[in-house]
Each structure stands twice: as C-alpha cells, then as structure tokens.
Amino acid sequence: MKKLFLLSLLALLGFGVVNAQEEQTANGAKISFNEMEHNYGTIQKGANGECEFVFTNTGNEPLILSNVKASCGCTVPTWPREPIMPGKSSNIHVKYNTNNVGGFNKTITVTSNAVDNPRLVLKIKGTVESPAAPTETK
C-alpha cells in the first residue's frame, strides 16, 4: 500500500513539473510574421528596393526587438526600438540596393525576447536587370 501511495505521489509531482514548464513557455512575448520571405521578382536597376515585413506580438508581454541585422551592407533594415505591446503589430522596413545587377538572395536576422522564436531569419530575393539599351531608328 505504501508503494502504491509513493508511486501516486511521484506521478502527481511529475505532472506538476510538466504543467509548470508548459505554463512558463505559454507566458511572454511571441512574434508572428505575415510573411518570412519577400520575392521582388525581376526589377530594374535603380528601382525601389524597399519592402516591409509586418509582425504581431501574439504573446502576453511586451515584445522587444534587440537587434535586426542584414547579411550584407547592400541590405539595410530599420525596426521599432520601442516595445510592441501584446496584440499590437509593427514592421521591419528593408531597403535593398538595386544598383547591384544580377540575382540576389539575402537574409535579415531578427533577435528579440520572444519566447517562441527569439532568433529568426527573414529572406529577400530577386533579380536586378540593367535597363534595355535604347534602339536607334534611321
């Protein structure tokens, strides 16, 4: 009978630890993006290389983006420095230098206090073409 009691007590304690761990991960800031990749397609040299990544704090505590870093200097991200409150949305603005002709595939690493995804990677891709040379008419 004592063994049965001890086994029951251990099972209840184990359930309590698992339940407490689940509760810890459920609380906190969480980040959810509308899209994780932006495809510019084919664009002309010198065209507008800007895009927005919209995100929402789906958690129950303020979301803070501590760093947003591009994979190279040809891509410049800007992001909100103030906390994003639960249920609110904001965006990361990205500007790609379209003076570089050819295909591109770049990443933007987002670091935050999100309990579900503290570090994630956004992607931009496309192809920049030179404008067609004017044709001569005679």
Side-chain angles (χ1 to χ4, degrees):
M1 189 66 149
K2 282 185 180 182
K3 286 183 181 180
L4 182 61
F5 175 74
L6 284 173
L7 286 174
S8 298
L9 184 59
L10 287 173
L12 284 173
L13 286 174
F15 176 74
V17 169
V18 169
N19 198 21
Q21 287 174 340
E22 286 175 4
E23 194 171 304
Q24 267 186 328
T25 58
N27 288 322
K30 294 182 181 178
I31 192 167
S32 175
F33 279 87
N34 289 357
E35 68 174 352
M36 299 287 289
E37 182 176 298
H38 179 79
N39 187 348
Y40 288 87
T42 301
I43 56 177
Q44 293 296 308
K45 179 178 179 179
N48 182 347
E50 299 179 26
C51 70
E52 304 272 332
F53 288 94
V54 177
F55 64 92
T56 303
N57 179 0
T58 57
N60 58 9
E61 292 182 15
L63 174 67
I64 300 167
L65 303 185
S66 55
N67 196 17
V68 178
K69 185 174 180 168
S71 58
C72 76
C74 60
T75 307
V76 180
T78 55
W79 68 95
R81 309 293 189 190
E82 69 280 348
I84 308 304
M85 301 314 279
K88 299 296 180 183
S89 295
S90 191
N91 62 62
I92 295 172
H93 181 85
V94 176
K95 182 171 174 90
Y96 177 73
N97 180 0
T98 59
N99 288 321
N100 302 325
V101 176
F104 64 93
N105 195 350
K106 306 297 178 183
T107 60
I108 300 98
T109 303
V110 180
T111 307
S112 72
N113 68 330
V115 295
D116 59 337
N117 212 346
R119 187 173 172 176
L120 53 84
V121 177
L122 305 172
K123 297 178 182 178
I124 62 169
K125 66 181 182 178
T127 303
V128 177
E129 288 185 333
S130 292
T135 57
E136 290 184 35
T137 55
K138 293 185 179 185

